[in-house]
Amino acid sequence: NFGNKTIGNEIDKFWLQGPLKISAIEQCQLLAKLATNKLPYNEIIQKQVQEITVLEKNEKWTLHGKTGWATSNIETPVGWFVGWIEKDGKVYSFAINLDMKDRKDLPKREAMAKEALKILNII
């Protein structure tokens, strides 16, 4: 139950080069469920995914996330950064998708998302 639910014929590339489409809102909804163990998978598996997605942690909050960059079979390459913040017993999921024509722009994904989270006083 992910996006348009279309994976095509290549099981190892459908999210980068295949027909799968998912909106930023759908990504945030999925991540919020993962962060709160509400996906239809064993809780141990969800906890393991939560552990491997930790990017930063301090005494106030924990940042979970994953970046990506789709470059094939599309006119304009798309970079993304999705994740969530755990803070004060709450979960704040986020997703950012950016047109990325050049590898040098890749750090902007995380930088822009973190700046938005700072402006919202989440981190």
Side-chain angles (χ1 to χ4, degrees):
N1 195 17
F2 188 73
N4 66 358
K5 304 174 193 150
T6 305
I7 62 170
N9 297 324
E10 295 188 62
I11 191 90
D12 61 339
K13 298 178 185 173
F14 64 88
W15 63 94
L16 293 174
Q17 301 172 349
L20 180 69
K21 305 277 188 241
I22 185 165
S23 72
I25 291 171
E26 289 170 313
Q27 289 174 327
C28 287
Q29 291 168 337
L30 176 84
L31 292 169
K33 287 179 184 176
L34 172 60
T36 57
N37 303 308
K38 293 184 177 155
L39 289 174
Y41 301 102
N42 183 297
E43 190 172 326
I44 293 169
I45 293 169
Q46 293 179 80
K47 293 280 188 198
Q48 290 172 334
V49 174
Q50 292 165 14
E51 288 174 18
I52 64 171
T53 59
V54 174
L55 299 177
E56 291 182 41
K57 186 173 186 171
N58 62 38
E59 64 283 345
K60 295 182 181 179
W61 48 264
T62 302
L63 168 64
H64 296 258
K66 172 74 177 91
T67 60
W69 188 29
T71 59
S72 300
N73 300 330
I74 54 176
E75 243 179 79
T76 303
V78 176
W80 66 88
F81 179 43
V82 299
W84 72 91
I85 300 285
E86 295 172 5
K87 179 182 176 184
D88 298 330
K90 295 180 182 174
V91 170
Y92 303 90
S93 59
F94 63 87
I96 185 168
N97 297 309
L98 302 168
D99 290 346
M100 308 225 115
K101 295 179 181 175
D102 194 290
R103 178 176 295 280
K104 69 178 172 39
D105 293 328
L106 291 174
K108 293 178 182 178
R109 301 167 296 181
E110 288 187 55
M112 290 176 74
K114 287 180 181 178
E115 187 60 31
L117 292 165
K118 286 177 186 174
I119 289 169
L120 294 169
N121 207 24
I122 296 172
I123 62 172

